[in-house]
Amino acid sequence: MNILITGCNGQLGNEMQLLEAQNPQHTYFNTDVEELDITDRETVGAFVEHNKIDGIVNCAAYTAVDKAESNAELCDLLNHVAPGYLAEAVGRRGGWLVQISTDYVFDGTNHTPYTETDDVCPNSVYGRTKLAGEQAACAACERTMIIRTAWLYSTFGNNFVKTMIRLGREKSELGVIFDQIGTPTYARDLAVAIMTSINQGVKPGVYHFSNEGVISWYDFTKAIHRLAGITTCHVRPLHTSEYPTPAARPHYSVLDKTKIKQAYGLEIPYWEESLQECVSQLLG
């Protein structure tokens, strides 16, 4: 197949590129904004047609959650409008789209893991635009697979793990929120799941993916410091109310992964095992 990867310079896009060498049966077109402006409908259509694209993995997104509150138009263009263009273009060729979405489509008031059939109720610009992107993609291409993920990190780009290692080395004390509960996702594990779905055949619908287990941001930070050998920084728990942000965050966003595990026979690693792998690579 000819497969287009958008957002190839991001965390997930970089991880996808690492897996391409292991799956040489496909031809990959790795693009970021310099190579392909996914907000330009005609450009997207021409690229997909010219390169005979059979499938698209859309890793591109506006992910600055707080900035989105004051930059709603650009956020909507990238997260809502662009996925619709990609879906429309590949749909005309009878192809498929894997659209990456987020736990932010939920308001975080659940007390049990969210399933794909739970009611969506985003309470931030980011969450609303990502949900709109899901809907636009599914409406334009019947072979659309939505994968909602959460707390993404990797050895690439800027993310929570790298920030906490840097701050842990710089500061003697750090306050981290303890009353927001979820599950981290190692971007490499998500990339493996996406590649598995491509090779087994993309099955349309909404799926959830994160690592296994449940944790708070505070506990996650403690684990990061322990694995990175940081012992001189005291981490103290904060309430969300002590750290106000422009965008509301879900207090509980644990995702139920049963559907994707059954659909593709996946065994998903426990969050701490994947974190250990990532930290080991970062410390090199």
Side-chain angles (χ1 to χ4, degrees):
M1 289 184 286
N2 292 332
I3 300 173
L4 168 61
I5 310 288
T6 63
C8 72
N9 293 335
Q11 295 190 80
L12 182 57
N14 269 297
E15 296 289 0
M16 289 297 295
Q17 290 183 76
L18 290 180
L19 293 180
E20 288 171 9
Q22 300 170 26
N23 295 267
Q25 68 270 36
H26 309 303
T27 301
Y28 303 93
F29 296 81
N30 297 301
T31 68
D32 216 291
V33 66
E34 295 82 9
E35 296 82 23
L36 177 64
D37 179 2
I38 62 170
T39 66
D40 186 319
R41 188 179 196 173
E42 287 187 16
T43 300
V44 167
F47 185 98
V48 168
E49 201 58 46
H50 175 73
N51 294 294
K52 297 181 170 55
I53 299 298
D54 300 301
I56 301 174
V57 181
N58 182 26
C59 303
Y62 187 105
T63 57
V65 175
D66 288 325
K67 287 182 180 177
E69 294 296 312
S70 56
N71 208 358
E73 192 173 341
L74 177 59
C75 187
D76 187 71
L77 189 60
L78 280 166
N79 291 350
H80 164 209
V81 178
Y85 292 163
L86 292 166
E88 181 183 62
V90 80
R92 280 198 298 266
R93 290 187 46 78
W96 49 263
L97 170 70
V98 175
Q99 168 67 17
I100 309 303
S101 193
T102 175
D103 57 323
Y104 279 69
V105 300
F106 301 112
D107 62 7
T109 56
N110 259 26
H111 298 287
T112 54
Y114 280 97
T115 68
E116 293 81 358
T117 55
D118 281 332
D119 290 338
V120 288
C121 185
N123 55 8
S124 65
V125 169
Y126 173 68
R128 286 192 291 274
T129 59
K130 290 297 285 184
L131 177 59
E134 290 185 10
Q135 295 164 342
C138 289
C141 176
E142 62 182 18
R143 295 181 67 195
T144 292
M145 179 182 188
I146 306 292
I147 303 181
R148 295 175 182 151
T149 191
W151 297 24
L152 199 68
Y153 70 92
S154 74
T155 57
F156 299 100
N158 296 315
N159 56 68
F160 187 82
V161 172
K162 292 167 88 168
T163 299
M164 289 304 108
I165 290 175
R166 176 176 57 79
L167 293 178
R169 288 169 172 166
E170 294 174 355
K171 296 179 177 293
S172 59
E173 184 173 285
L174 200 57
V176 182
I177 291 168
F178 79 95
D179 58 357
Q180 291 176 20
I181 308 299
T183 311
T185 307
Y186 186 26
R188 184 157 305 171
D189 294 332
L190 176 55
V192 168
I194 293 169
M195 199 61 86
T196 301
S197 71
I198 291 170
N199 289 333
Q200 291 186 21
V202 168
K203 300 170 184 175
V206 179
Y207 298 83
H208 289 171
F209 186 94
S210 68
N211 282 112
E212 297 285 19
V214 179
I215 199 168
S216 72
W217 289 111
Y218 166 77
D219 293 305
F220 191 30
T221 303
K222 294 286 283 186
I224 292 165
H225 284 190
R226 175 167 43 78
L227 292 171
I230 295 170
T231 57
T232 54
C233 179
H234 172 63
V235 183
R236 55 188 178 81
L238 293 180
H239 289 90
T240 297
S241 58
E242 296 176 81
Y243 191 78
T245 56
R249 263 80 172 165
H251 276 277
Y252 182 94
S253 63
V254 180
L255 300 175
D256 187 307
K257 279 85 67 174
T258 303
K259 183 178 177 182
I260 199 166
K261 286 191 287 189
Q262 291 179 344
Y264 292 103
L266 292 176
E267 281 198 26
I268 301 176
Y270 178 56
W271 69 265
E272 191 166 2
E273 294 166 7
S274 292
L275 176 62
Q276 188 163 13
E277 182 184 325
C278 182
V279 170
S280 296
Q281 289 203 25
L282 285 170
L283 301 182

